[in-house]
Amino acid sequence: MNKRILVADDEDVLRMLITDTLEDEGYIITEAENGRVAWEILQLEALDLVILDYMMPGLTGIEVAEKLSQGCKNRPPIVMLTAKTQESDMEVSKNAGIQYFMGKPFSPIELIQLVEEILT
């Protein structure tokens, strides 16, 4: 069975790169162009993994993660993909229930490795 991943990032080109990279590995990708759309999708679809951008319009990645922690019984693992890699930013992310981090810019190979590590 192919694993389902939500990719939420407001940068179209970056979202396309992530989507293409993971689809080439056989994952089924759902895309969200902002945090509000990501939250709507998360309420409707069963997903195996969520990749969130930290800074998005509507709802930030942190706000989406906090909402998941409050209202989702089977919360999928979350990867925070972000340029905000200061210790304080990572602490805020951890407090929101985010387990994994990847800094921008990122290597597609490292992304594939992280996703495979999480989902296997």
Side-chain angles (χ1 to χ4, degrees):
M1 181 174 105
N2 290 345
K3 301 288 185 169
R4 300 181 57 80
I5 300 172
L6 172 63
V7 175
D9 197 304
D10 60 319
E11 295 180 42
D12 294 341
V13 173
L14 186 57
R15 197 174 61 248
M16 183 180 68
L17 172 64
I18 297 166
T19 296
D20 289 349
T21 297
L22 295 176
E23 282 180 339
D24 286 349
E25 297 299 312
Y27 296 104
I28 299 167
I29 307 299
T30 301
E31 295 183 43
E33 65 273 8
N34 62 51
R36 211 169 290 290
V37 172
W39 176 241
E40 290 170 7
I41 292 167
L42 285 161
Q43 293 178 84
L44 299 173
E45 293 188 31
L47 297 157
D48 299 294
L49 179 67
V50 178
I51 299 175
L52 293 174
D53 181 23
Y54 194 111
M55 297 178 290
M56 292 186 287
L59 294 170
T60 66
I62 295 296
E63 291 168 327
V64 172
E66 288 172 342
K67 283 176 155 295
L68 271 174
S69 293
Q70 297 166 0
C72 187
K73 293 176 184 164
N74 297 317
R75 190 171 77 84
I78 299 171
V79 174
M80 180 63 74
L81 188 60
T82 180
K84 295 178 71 77
T85 56
Q86 300 259 341
E87 189 64 36
S88 59
D89 298 319
M90 295 180 112
E91 190 65 30
V92 169
S93 296
K94 287 179 185 175
N95 290 338
I98 295 165
Q99 304 96 325
Y100 305 96
F101 305 89
M102 182 162 281
K104 291 180 184 178
F106 67 94
S107 157
I109 293 170
E110 289 176 0
L111 178 63
I112 291 167
Q113 291 171 340
L114 178 61
V115 168
E116 288 177 353
E117 176 184 315
I118 295 167
L119 294 178
T120 55

